[in-house]
Amino acid sequence: MICRDFYIQKIRPFIDKDVVKVMSGIRRSGKSVMLELIQRELLEQGRSEDSIIMLNFESRLLPFAKNVQSAFDYLKPLLSEKKYLFFDEIQDLPGWEELVNSLMIDFDVDIYITGSNAKLLSGELATYLGGRYVEIKIYPFSFAEILDIMRETQEEVNEAEAFLHYLSYGGMPFIYQNKMEEQAALMYLEDLFDSIILKDVAQRNKIRDIGAFKNLLLYFIAEIGNTYSAASIKKYLKNENRSVSTETLYNYIEYCKDACILQMVSREDLIGKKILQFQEKIYLTDHGLRQAVYGHNQRDINQILENIVFMELLRRDYNVTIGKANTREVDFAAKKREKRIYVQVAYMLADEKTVEREFGVLEEIPDNYPKFVITMDEIERSRNGILHRNIREFLKGQEF
């Protein structure tokens, strides 16, 4: 079990603090393992095993898993002294917010919860707790984490080959923890995709026309990194002999965001310093799912590299927008507190026209924040203060 120290460092300052620790993210991204890692951290700090209670609300063996009062009645006699409560996939318990709030008020507890829903904190929990929570978003393995796993199990690691594998199959932890080969990895990812579609989206939101919904999602999967509009999507669905209203269309998009499978990115005018309310882009939380249900990750390498860099920026807590400098587009403008960086992503700097396109737009931005051009090239071609980095080195590096 890899120690995801990046996340442990985020959680450690909140241990024993009067806040609920909420870990959200796409199904099978490693949230349950994070609960195990936190428990290990507690034991290493001197807490007893008896002080830890772990409940998985997806389990059918829990007699109270579908009823808040039953869950409360089960826990009450166990909480005569300080306890650390770990609730996995708690969104499957209707009214779970009430349970968490009651436990926080009535007992000496330190609570950690996970859920496969981006809106875990948008409803009653935020109202009940009034800010007494902290959210940590858990993403699939980064390339750096995958290298760490490989170095633990292999005498020698070829980073270029490892990256090509990551390019196709993404970072879902199960693939790397079980050293899955190509066909097994694709089968696992396809089954995971179906599970997300059925359990986290269709059933939860009572979607009737699953065919139309799945066609829409496949459209986004094929077009990651490209702009979209309601008109273009409806035209696509019409060609597939499907028809949905604009309202239903946007509901479907929201459902996918809630299930943490899609990430929406707004545009920002970097000269006028304002967010533009049109032509958003969509990226996938894990690009390996694309290979499993659509294929062509290596053929569409520009899109996949862009997706990889975008998700890495999210992992590092950047707030990311698509930049617009005059009439030209900057792939990513990323902010983190007072820090800001700009990033262009391309496959290769194959000729001077490409070099001018990727560097030129960054040169138009009238500030002195760090600017990067990220490609697969092995030879560095930085110029005019703009840093050129190989994507593997960028993903491993600390300078951003």
Side-chain angles (χ1 to χ4, degrees):
M1 181 168 61
I2 185 172
C3 180
R4 307 189 77 179
D5 193 56
F6 174 74
Y7 294 110
I8 291 294
Q9 288 181 33
K10 290 184 178 183
I11 294 165
R12 193 174 285 134
F14 298 101
I15 292 175
D16 279 325
K17 299 298 189 294
D18 190 28
V19 291
V20 179
K21 276 65 73 174
V22 182
M23 281 153 278
S24 62
I26 190 172
R27 182 173 293 275
R28 303 294 173 257
S29 59
K31 300 185 298 299
S32 300
V33 170
M34 283 307 308
L35 294 185
E36 295 179 29
L37 291 171
I38 297 167
Q39 291 171 44
R40 187 167 73 181
E41 174 83 8
L42 291 173
L43 294 173
E44 290 174 354
Q45 291 183 7
R47 280 73 164 185
S48 69
E49 290 188 12
D50 291 341
S51 69
I52 296 171
I53 298 175
M54 171 77 175
L55 301 177
N56 186 336
F57 284 89
E58 284 191 311
S59 173
R60 292 182 176 273
L61 298 178
L62 297 182
F64 52 79
K66 302 301 179 185
N67 184 282
V68 166
Q69 187 61 50
S70 297
F72 185 86
D73 292 342
Y74 170 84
L75 289 166
K76 183 178 178 179
L78 304 176
L79 305 180
S80 58
E81 56 186 18
K82 174 68 176 282
K83 298 291 183 181
Y84 297 87
L85 304 181
F86 293 83
F87 298 151
D88 201 7
E89 297 294 353
I90 197 171
Q91 80 280 341
D92 285 348
L93 176 68
W96 63 269
E97 303 95 339
E98 181 183 348
L99 173 66
V100 170
N101 183 60
S102 297
L103 293 171
M104 287 281 288
I105 292 172
D106 296 332
F107 302 100
D108 184 9
V109 293
D110 192 19
I111 301 178
Y112 303 79
I113 66 178
T114 75
S116 302
N117 192 302
K119 286 190 175 177
L120 207 61
L121 292 171
S122 65
E124 294 299 320
L125 181 62
T127 302
Y128 277 127
L129 295 182
R132 288 187 296 136
Y133 63 84
V134 60
E135 182 181 20
I136 297 97
K137 295 181 179 179
I138 308 297
Y139 297 108
F141 281 162
S142 66
F143 179 60
E145 287 179 302
I146 289 168
L147 288 179
D148 287 342
I149 293 175
M150 290 182 170
R151 291 187 182 113
E152 288 180 2
T153 58
Q154 301 177 24
E155 291 185 7
E156 196 171 324
V157 176
N158 184 313
E159 290 189 2
E161 290 181 3
F163 183 75
L164 289 177
H165 186 276
Y166 178 59
L167 186 78
S168 289
Y169 307 112
M172 282 299 178
F174 188 82
I175 293 173
Y176 298 93
Q177 291 166 337
N178 294 278
K179 301 179 184 178
M180 302 179 80
E181 298 297 330
E182 177 181 351
Q183 287 306 117
L186 291 175
M187 185 180 300
Y188 168 76
L189 289 169
E190 189 171 4
D191 288 345
L192 174 59
F193 177 79
D194 288 338
S195 177
I196 293 170
I197 294 303
L198 293 174
K199 185 175 179 64
D200 294 331
V201 183
Q203 290 180 11
R204 181 167 294 151
N205 298 288
K206 297 179 174 59
I207 294 177
R208 294 181 179 179
D209 191 348
I210 295 178
F213 169 72
K214 196 167 184 178
N215 276 357
L216 171 67
L217 187 51
L218 288 173
Y219 170 85
F220 282 131
I221 286 173
E223 297 294 320
I224 56 171
N226 295 327
T227 56
Y228 77 94
S229 67
S232 65
I233 298 171
K234 291 178 78 171
K235 181 179 179 181
Y236 163 78
L237 291 175
K238 185 177 180 180
N239 291 336
E240 297 293 316
N241 296 316
R242 299 281 183 179
S243 177
V244 298
S245 68
T246 300
E247 180 182 2
T248 299
L249 179 64
Y250 282 112
N251 284 340
Y252 284 172
I253 294 172
E254 287 299 313
Y255 299 157
C256 290
K257 288 168 57 183
D258 292 348
C260 305
I261 191 171
L262 296 182
Q263 304 285 336
M264 304 282 291
V265 192
S266 299
R267 287 174 173 270
E268 178 184 6
D269 184 342
L270 301 177
I271 309 299
K273 303 298 182 183
K274 61 182 180 180
I275 299 296
L276 304 173
Q277 301 299 319
F278 62 91
Q279 288 192 318
E280 290 179 302
K281 288 188 176 183
I282 286 185
Y283 294 94
L284 271 172
T285 299
D286 185 79
H287 57 278
L289 294 171
R290 185 184 193 270
Q291 182 70 22
V293 301
Y294 178 76
H296 310 303
N297 275 11
Q298 294 203 22
R299 183 198 69 184
D300 301 330
I301 192 167
N302 280 303
Q303 291 172 263
I304 305 305
L305 294 179
E306 197 173 304
N307 201 108
I308 288 171
V309 171
F310 170 73
M311 288 305 305
E312 189 66 25
L313 291 170
L314 290 191
R315 281 190 190 91
R316 302 201 181 198
D317 297 325
Y318 281 96
N319 179 31
V320 185
T321 58
I322 308 301
K324 178 179 177 292
N326 295 318
T327 60
R328 304 171 77 178
E329 181 176 277
V330 178
D331 287 333
F332 303 118
K335 305 175 193 175
K336 180 167 60 175
R337 295 180 286 279
E338 280 73 47
K339 190 171 184 178
R340 185 180 182 104
I341 64 173
Y342 302 101
V343 182
Q344 283 289 95
V345 184
Y347 172 42
M348 300 283 282
L349 298 176
D351 50 42
E352 286 306 313
K353 183 178 179 181
T354 305
V355 172
E356 176 56 34
R357 182 184 70 233
E358 304 301 335
F359 283 84
V361 63
L362 295 176
E363 292 169 345
E364 291 186 17
I365 302 172
D367 63 39
N368 295 315
Y369 291 110
K371 301 174 178 69
F372 294 90
V373 174
I374 310 301
T375 73
M376 293 278 286
D377 295 282
E378 301 289 345
I379 299 174
E380 184 182 333
R381 301 185 65 175
S382 301
R383 79 177 198 190
N384 297 334
I386 298 172
L387 303 172
H388 175 221
R389 293 289 183 266
N390 173 273
I391 189 167
R392 299 194 309 275
E393 300 306 314
F394 184 77
L395 296 175
K396 295 188 301 176
Q398 301 299 318
E399 61 185 321
F400 72 105

